[in-house]
Amino acid sequence: FAADDLQGVDALPLLPETERRLVVEEWNRTDAAAPGDACVHALFEAQVERAPDAEAVVFDRDRLTYAALNAAANRLARRLRAAGVGSEARVGVMLERSAELVVALLAVLKAGGAYLPLDAALPAARRAALAADAGAAVLVTRGPGPEGFAGTIVSPAEADGEDGDDLGLDVPAAALAYVIYTSGSTGTPKGVGVAHAQAAAHCRAAAAVYGLTPADRVMQFAAVGFDVSLEQMLAPLSAGACVVLRGNEVPTPLELARQAAEQGMSVVNPPTAYWHQLVADPGALEILARTVRLVIAGGEAMSPAAARGWATGPAAGVRLLNGYGPTETVVTCTAYDVPPTLPEGAVHVPVGRPLPGRAAYVVDGWMHPAPLGVPGELCIGGTLARGYLGRPAATAAAFVPDPFSPAPGARMYRTGDRARWLAAGELEFLGRRDHQVKIRGYRIEPGEIEARLAEHASVREAVVLAREDTPGELRLVAYVVGGETAGAEALRAHLGETLPAYMVPAAYVRLEQLPLTPNGKLDRGALPAPDAPAAREHEAPVGKVEQALAEIWAELLGVERVGRGDNFFMLGGHSLLAVQMISRVRQAMEVELALGAVFEKPVLSALADRILDLRLARFDPETLARLAQLVREPGAQTA
């Protein structure tokens, strides 16, 4: 201070040297070397050499050994090379979750390209936009590519006659390995690019922390468009373990537990929102505890009450990890071994300490380390993504020089999350510094939803918030100015054309104007809570399909009764429950209902009509003509 008596007192570092050394150095000694020159697929190939006949991938009845998986990936990699794939080339992969998906992932890496997942569950317009933004010139898929895709389409079947031996390419470790898109605050998704060296370093770190060995069987749970799916495939394969894919629909907790038991799974990694449902199902936990040794939950804040329930329930002996990590920090960057007992007054479950090769800093507004217990911004150093694809300014703003690292050129990522160090050396997550939210494990920038709403012809202004009007249930609410000619269902359908289901708000509030503070800024605190659904006279479901659908809704949503005019989302439904509802409909009615149909027709009677149409489509035209009127008559017994 004496050297510069004009500086503000609040800019002075607060930590004594001993405490600074503790939070900057001691708690960041993870005993891991910096990323070297390894490539992800090279770690897998080393396991092929060690145990070629070990089981590598299981999906339903499909089973591939390490040798078979390697040969299939080599064949497809040669086909991709013939299509022009080389270092830095982005290759879109649009396949359902299957053993073939794992083959395609490895094939892209072996060919030297960068894997770009294009989830088949996304709206077609969004898939096309992601492929265009990434500059993907090659697409691996079984069907046609996204509308407007002008590149080369490669079907996995085209590789059948290729050589199955390793290609032996010298793929640079600094080359791009994969691109994962996250929601963007400006209305455009951002592609996060991760190089081979960092991806390989994370696979090693995750395998070490999770204790993965060739004896493990790991469930692949996450949707293919999220980076956790890569950890769930590549980390086990780099450690000689077996990857068991869960199927294309989200299972109920009981279904997941039964699959885990049937397949002998030892590691399960669901999003936190799903884990909360799992904890609430003692029957599922009893089954799960018979085979599973480790459960990793991550994606959003873990409930302390649920953590205590886990520790005292049927799964008490199963190791539980609470993971944390933005996509930019290469999947999971910190983890916390949840102990058998949490302090009764705990408001948060910590997110733990950095994984090997990572460093974690809590800093104040002047990038000084914050004292113990004092909130600040969480920054992550060490193993990081390269940056945002084609967005140098955004990369420079988020990936900044690491002032605490002795390594030349070291960077750290500003997460935008608030955190603090606890006395035991664990990080406690305290929420966001900005408007970004996580709902049911999905990272969402409300600005992207607002931009899509503003594209509707009748909407003049739009704001989207995450609200917790019901304790424990966070949901997206859209506030629109204008929109007189478009109701909630029309706006929901409009958003469903370009956004994934989890980004479509559950409630819509029309305002004459947005509330402003005295200085003219948006007053978010003055935005009203959505009105409760207007009380309406109960209209009983009509016909067997409506009745069956109402029973499914009542069970999933925890309501006593459902009428034919009730709206799934107004009753508390959301995208995760919609997926489970679709699974129940398939089992009960033998109908493949698309997720988009739920957003287009959220009213029970309308959705039942859609189900009827799908069921009737199985009949020939003559039979259909005879049945069409009958099945729609009130009280009809034929469906």
Side-chain angles (χ1 to χ4, degrees):
F1 184 76
D4 182 5
D5 60 0
L6 296 180
Q7 65 181 309
V9 174
D10 51 2
L12 294 173
L14 299 177
L15 291 186
E17 183 57 31
T18 53
E19 189 174 341
R20 185 185 190 282
R21 189 181 307 114
L22 185 69
V23 298
V24 172
E25 298 177 18
E26 295 294 330
W27 288 344
N28 282 314
R29 285 182 178 163
T30 55
D31 299 324
D37 58 357
C39 284
V40 189
H41 59 277
L43 302 181
F44 164 71
E45 289 172 354
Q47 294 297 336
V48 176
E49 289 291 326
R50 292 187 185 97
D53 297 328
E55 213 165 45
V57 175
V58 172
F59 177 72
D60 198 10
R61 296 181 181 180
D62 294 335
R63 281 170 159 73
L64 292 178
T65 65
Y66 268 80
L69 175 59
N70 191 48
N74 288 334
R75 287 192 290 269
L76 182 55
R78 283 188 163 83
R79 179 65 190 86
L80 292 174
R81 293 288 291 183
V85 173
S87 184
E88 299 292 324
R90 283 68 129 173
V91 181
V93 176
M94 195 170 72
L95 295 169
E96 296 282 353
R97 183 185 280 101
S98 61
E100 194 171 66
L101 174 69
V102 185
V103 170
L105 164 60
L106 289 170
V108 172
L109 299 177
K110 283 169 171 280
Y115 169 77
L116 169 68
L118 298 172
D119 195 334
L122 292 176
R126 191 173 183 86
R127 291 198 303 268
L130 298 186
D133 185 80
V138 177
L139 176 69
V140 179
T141 185
R142 281 282 180 180
E147 184 177 351
F149 181 75
T152 303
I153 294 179
V154 175
S155 169
E158 297 175 27
D160 288 346
E162 299 286 349
D163 186 349
D165 291 340
D166 287 341
L167 281 70
L169 295 177
D170 184 17
V171 178
L176 203 60
Y178 67 80
V179 178
I180 295 288
Y181 274 84
T182 66
S183 182
S185 59
T186 62
T188 304
K190 294 183 294 186
V192 179
V194 174
H196 277 272
Q198 282 66 38
H202 177 67
C203 285
R204 288 170 168 161
V209 173
Y210 304 159
L212 298 181
T213 72
D216 280 309
R217 296 171 72 83
V218 182
M219 173 177 273
Q220 196 288 302
F221 188 100
V224 300
F226 293 88
D227 60 343
V228 178
S229 69
L230 290 163
E231 178 182 279
Q232 293 168 356
M233 291 184 282
L234 294 177
L237 292 175
S238 72
C242 177
V243 177
V244 183
L245 296 104
R246 66 159 166 82
N248 287 312
E249 299 297 340
V250 177
T252 64
L254 189 59
E255 289 169 345
L256 178 143
R258 286 172 176 165
Q259 185 185 2
E262 290 167 1
Q263 298 287 354
M265 296 183 205
S266 57
V267 179
V268 176
N269 184 355
T272 307
Y274 187 94
W275 177 80
H276 285 151
Q277 295 184 12
L278 191 61
V279 176
D281 191 330
L285 291 184
E286 287 179 6
I287 298 171
L288 198 68
R290 294 173 194 167
T291 58
V292 171
R293 67 167 182 84
L294 170 64
V295 171
I296 309 154
E300 59 190 301
M302 176 181 284
S303 159
R308 294 189 189 98
W310 179 273
T312 58
V318 178
R319 183 188 179 198
L320 174 63
L321 277 175
N322 185 28
Y324 163 84
T327 303
E328 290 86 345
T329 64
V330 192
V331 196
T332 307
C333 61
T334 75
Y336 177 67
D337 260 297
V338 182
T341 57
L342 281 176
E344 280 301 320
V347 178
H348 305 98
V349 178
V351 294
R353 295 192 181 192
L355 265 65
R358 302 322 206 287
Y361 314 109
V362 178
V363 300
D364 61 21
W366 291 267
M367 302 302 283
H368 296 144
L372 282 176
V374 176
E377 182 181 5
L378 179 58
C379 296
I380 302 296
T383 301
L384 298 175
R386 259 186 5 192
Y388 300 114
L389 212 63
R391 290 172 169 79
T395 299
F399 296 85
V400 299
D402 184 345
F404 312 111
S405 172
R411 301 178 307 154
M412 66 182 188
Y413 172 68
R414 302 188 62 174
T415 68
D417 291 334
R418 295 175 65 251
R420 63 177 180 175
W421 284 110
L422 301 178
E426 309 288 355
L427 287 163
E428 184 180 53
F429 174 79
L430 300 174
R432 290 290 300 174
R433 296 175 65 245
D434 55 20
H435 304 306
Q436 185 188 104
V437 296
K438 274 199 173 182
I439 297 182
R440 291 177 289 281
Y442 296 112
R443 172 174 156 182
I444 297 170
E445 288 281 5
E448 184 174 355
I449 308 171
E450 293 165 358
R452 299 289 82 77
L453 276 171
E455 292 172 352
H456 193 282
S458 68
V459 174
R460 296 195 298 277
E461 293 181 275
V463 173
V464 175
L465 294 184
R467 300 186 61 108
E468 191 175 0
D469 297 308
T470 301
E473 183 59 36
L474 195 65
R475 63 172 181 165
L476 291 172
V477 177
Y479 297 87
V480 297
V481 175
E484 293 85 352
T485 60
E489 290 185 28
L491 293 176
R492 189 178 288 114
H494 166 73
L495 292 176
E497 293 175 0
T498 55
L499 296 179
Y502 63 83
M503 291 182 68
V504 177
Y508 298 78
V509 179
R510 192 171 68 82
L511 302 172
E512 293 300 322
Q513 61 184 25
L514 295 176
L516 302 177
T517 62
N519 62 2
K521 294 185 177 181
L522 174 67
D523 188 352
R524 293 177 181 271
L527 290 168
D531 293 333
R536 55 186 300 151
E537 184 178 346
H538 176 73
E539 188 177 357
V542 172
K544 296 178 71 174
V545 173
E546 287 190 14
Q547 291 166 7
L549 188 59
E551 290 175 5
I552 293 171
W553 284 21
E555 181 181 352
L556 283 176
L557 301 172
V559 296
E560 184 176 347
R561 65 179 185 176
V562 177
R564 67 190 314 263
D566 285 335
N567 184 300
F568 180 77
F569 298 101
M570 294 302 178
L571 291 178
H574 49 67
S575 57
L576 183 58
L577 287 176
V579 170
Q580 293 188 37
M581 185 254 289
I582 289 170
S583 178
R584 303 281 182 90
V585 167
R586 181 190 305 105
Q587 295 170 12
M589 307 182 204
E590 299 181 344
V591 164
E592 288 292 338
L593 187 65
L595 183 59
V598 184
F599 288 86
E600 294 170 10
K601 306 288 184 182
V603 174
L604 184 119
S605 60
L607 190 60
D609 276 348
R610 176 66 63 87
I611 294 170
L612 276 170
D613 289 338
L614 292 171
R615 297 190 70 186
L616 291 172
R618 297 180 300 186
F619 295 102
D620 60 78
E622 186 175 343
T623 305
L624 177 61
R626 293 200 305 269
L627 291 176
Q629 184 62 36
L630 175 63
V631 297
R632 297 187 191 279
E633 289 177 356
Q637 297 302 302
T638 301

